[in-house]
Amino acid sequence: MLSTKGLSEVRERVLGNRKDVFLMAGGIYNETYFKNYPEEKLKEGILYGIVLVNQTTWERETIKVGIAKGRTFKDAVKRARGFTNYDIRIQRIWSGTIYDAWRFEQKLHNQFQKDRHKTEHKFGGHTECFSMDSKILEAFPKKNELFGD
């Protein structure tokens, strides 16, 4: 098994100076990424709001708000395969560009910061969860709403 140092060396060897591409594959978008790769801004993307149901207790545990490349609820489901120990219940989907989806996501995460929820199980995206009594789903953009409207 490679140490963390070994993994860093492999990343640098494989990606050279394009480390941000590796980070993006881990689900990390930011302004720098979109500035460096402006063509990515126009790709299709979705903002999704789902309820995660704990597979041990079968309780509705948390609301997850995130983004995925694609255009439909199937893309959210595909992304949700990584939410181990949880079943998903899709509540909201907004589709547009991945850049606008990311901007709406950031806006919602900031607006509902006080409602953050720590999940029982960790998974990719566990830091983007909110309490079940949060109003974050009600604040989702409308179907044809553009960022900045």
Side-chain angles (χ1 to χ4, degrees):
M1 185 165 163
L2 286 173
S3 68
T4 305
K5 184 175 187 270
L7 287 174
S8 296
E9 291 170 3
V10 169
R11 288 177 192 146
E12 286 184 37
R13 207 174 27 229
V14 171
L15 298 171
N17 64 358
R18 294 195 56 194
K19 292 178 190 163
D20 51 344
V21 173
F22 181 84
L23 291 174
M24 190 262 138
I28 300 173
Y29 289 100
N30 58 42
E31 282 292 350
T32 302
Y33 175 81
F34 288 115
K35 181 180 175 191
N36 290 338
Y37 304 99
E39 68 281 2
E40 291 289 317
K41 285 183 173 184
L42 302 177
K43 292 190 175 180
E44 293 181 333
I46 58 168
L47 171 70
Y48 60 83
I50 59 177
V51 167
L52 297 179
V53 177
N54 187 310
Q55 290 177 338
T56 304
T57 64
W58 295 110
E59 296 289 326
R60 294 165 60 96
E61 184 178 316
T62 192
I63 299 168
K64 164 85 169 84
V65 173
I67 62 172
K69 284 189 178 178
R71 200 83 181 142
T72 69
F73 77 95
K74 290 178 184 177
D75 299 303
V77 170
K78 207 181 309 178
R79 167 63 188 98
R81 289 187 187 136
F83 305 155
T84 54
N85 300 304
Y86 292 98
D87 281 348
I88 66 164
R89 306 289 183 268
I90 296 176
Q91 305 296 308
R92 301 279 190 283
I93 296 282
W94 176 89
S95 61
T97 66
I98 191 67
Y99 183 61
D100 280 349
W102 175 77
R103 294 194 303 170
F104 274 126
E105 178 193 41
Q106 297 308 300
K107 180 180 174 183
L108 289 170
H109 286 185
N110 290 332
Q111 185 178 348
F112 291 91
Q113 181 70 31
K114 66 179 176 27
D115 295 341
R116 294 278 182 171
H117 177 255
K118 187 174 180 180
T119 59
E120 184 176 327
H121 306 284
K122 288 190 175 181
F123 55 87
H126 72 277
T127 60
E128 301 174 327
C129 292
F130 300 84
S131 63
M132 286 302 301
D133 59 353
S134 176
K135 302 294 185 199
I136 194 166
L137 294 175
E138 295 173 20
F140 252 61
K142 305 300 178 238
K143 184 177 181 178
N144 294 317
E145 186 176 344
L146 300 176
F147 191 83
D149 282 357

